[in-house]
Structures are given as C-alpha cells and as structure tokens.
Amino acid sequence: GQQVMQIPQYQHVQEGEDFTTYCNSSTTLSNIQWYKQRPGGHPVFLIQLVKSGEVKKQKRLTFQFGEAKKNSSLHITATQTTDVGTYFCAGPRNSGAGSYQLTFGKGTKLSVIP
Amino acid sequence: DAGVIQSPRHEVTEMGQEVTLRCKPISGHNSLFWYRQTMMRGLELLIYFNNNVPIDDSGMPEDRFSAKMPNASFSTLKIQPSEPRDSAVYFCASWLTPGIYTGELFFGEGSRLTVL
C-alpha cells in the first residue's frame, strides 16, 4: 500500500539556523499536505501543494512539491523557538466510492535551542 | 465554529476496563477519522467513516476495538477490555469529503489514554 516516509526523524538546531524536512511517497500524489503539531497539541494544517514543482511560502517557511509529485520538502529559515514541534507530511489515498483518507509520514520533531 | 470536540481529554483506567472515547465532528463535515498516536508508531489511522458508514477499518488493532457513528454529529471509539499497550493519544478528525484535491483535515485536541 501507499507509504509516506519522512526524514530526519529528529532535528536539533540552534535558534537562527535553518531547518529542512523531507517527505517521500511510494506512489505519485495528487497533492501533498503539511501539518504542524506543537508539544502536547494536535496536528494543525499548514498548507497543501497541488502542482508539479510548486513552491509556496509562508513567512519563513518554504514548501516545495517535486516535479514527479512523489516528494516534498519544508524549509524553515532562521528558526525561532516558536517553530518547535513535529512537522508531518500527508498524502491522500483514494478509498473508492468518492472517499479519501490521508496517509501521514512519521513526522520530523524539531527542537530549537535558544 | 467550535471545531472537532473530543471527550474525555484524559482517561486513566486499569487493565481490563472498558474505555469509550467520544467525538463530535465539525457540523457539515461528512467524513470522520480516528487516529492513534504513539512515540513508536506515530500517527496511525484506525478507522474512518464517510456519511456515517465505516469505509476502512483495517487499522483497528484487534477485536477489542470497535467504533460507531450513529449519526452525523457523533462517533465513539470503544476499547474492551483495555490493555496497557493501548495507552496512547487518540485523535478524532473530520473534513467535508473533497474531490481529488483534498482539503484541510481538522483534528480534535485528542484523548490521552493511560491504561495501568
């Protein structure tokens, strides 16, 4: 079945350093989503990428969707302590009869050292 | 909108006891998902419903787990009997079934279960 893999599993950075997490799918995706989960919180939607090669920015966060629509990345420039949390990518899977589910990667847990 | 509402937020119980987790999806959403999150296994999809009908329950660990959605505004996840390895955070999530370009999945705040 469809698998979504993320690396690295953990990342510790000094505040101000950059951070990147990578996501790879075993199948071509119609779109890919990114979520952030703060410690003790729940996953919250960040963004969805749809087009091959698409790049989207949200302030210091840059999201990229690969040309083959099988991989994606999230890059954070000049990390801040507010960036702490686990970042998940997720790809849709057609379950038939017009219904979809999301397959989540295991996430990258980001720690920022002040 | 109040968002996805889950209860209880925390549950501590003893092995062998029955546990019932509850979820109220966002009004108008027609798909509801139950996820389990642990350090070891990450975020696992247990079961999901579309228009109150279970579509995929292949993630349900075993017969001790059951889920129902009697109407569009309420779902339960039951564990009977509970075991220590069931300790995890259980999330409910909902969305309005999109087309192929799936939209945002809204998560509840989760129910943290500890089985002693």
Side-chain angles (χ1 to χ4, degrees):
Chain A
Q2 180 190 64
Q3 288 187 324
V4 176
M5 292 147 287
Q6 265 185 273
I7 56 169
Q9 191 175 357
Y10 301 95
Q11 185 81 59
H12 306 276
V13 300
Q14 203 76 34
E15 188 172 16
E17 291 182 341
D18 292 358
F19 158 78
T20 304
T21 173
Y22 300 91
C23 179
N24 287 286
S25 170
S26 57
T27 59
T28 301
L29 301 170
S30 60
N31 66 85
I32 194 159
Q33 297 184 3
W34 286 91
Y35 290 76
K36 176 183 178 180
Q37 183 178 20
R38 295 183 186 274
H42 58 281
V44 175
F45 176 84
L46 291 177
I47 206 163
Q48 175 172 272
L49 304 171
V50 175
K51 298 177 185 175
S52 168
E54 187 171 14
V55 177
K56 283 189 177 180
K57 292 192 175 185
Q58 289 180 350
K59 297 182 180 178
R60 294 179 294 102
L61 277 60
T62 301
F63 303 85
Q64 199 160 4
F65 201 11
E67 294 289 340
K69 302 184 78 173
K70 294 183 73 173
N71 61 288
S72 180
S73 64
L74 158 58
H75 179 83
I76 302 178
T77 304
T79 55
Q80 300 175 359
T81 54
T82 53
D83 296 324
V84 163
T86 301
Y87 293 85
F88 296 94
C89 62
R93 181 157 67 94
N94 189 338
S95 302
S99 63
Y100 292 84
Q101 58 177 283
L102 281 181
T103 302
F104 282 82
K106 283 198 164 20
T108 297
K109 188 173 182 179
L110 172 64
S111 300
V112 178
I113 305 161
Chain B
D1 201 317
V4 177
I5 300 173
Q6 290 187 246
S7 66
R9 293 292 313 279
H10 301 273
E11 173 96 3
V12 180
T13 190
E14 292 189 344
M15 183 173 64
Q17 295 298 305
E18 178 179 294
V19 173
T20 300
L21 308 178
R22 298 173 178 80
C23 176
K24 176 177 166 53
I26 291 174
S27 177
H29 284 188
N30 62 347
S31 289
L32 182 143
F33 302 78
W34 282 100
Y35 286 90
R36 177 173 69 177
Q37 186 174 43
T38 60
M39 288 291 291
M40 290 295 294
R41 301 174 70 91
L43 205 54
E44 302 174 273
L45 178 64
L46 300 178
I47 185 171
Y48 88 99
F49 297 84
N50 193 40
N51 294 321
N52 312 339
V53 175
I55 301 298
D56 184 353
D57 65 354
S58 59
M60 295 285 262
E62 48 199 271
D63 292 345
R64 297 184 299 106
F65 285 69
S66 63
K68 292 183 180 179
M69 191 162 187
N71 57 62
S73 58
F74 183 66
S75 177
T76 58
L77 178 67
K78 189 172 291 188
I79 308 172
Q80 165 65 13
S82 58
E83 296 182 3
R85 61 190 166 124
D86 302 330
S87 298
V89 180
Y90 291 82
F91 287 106
C92 176
S94 72
W95 70 17
L96 178 60
T97 300
I100 190 169
Y101 298 115
T102 48
E104 176 179 352
L105 187 60
F106 294 83
F107 283 81
E109 295 189 335
S111 294
R112 182 175 293 276
L113 173 65
T114 303
V115 183
L116 303 174

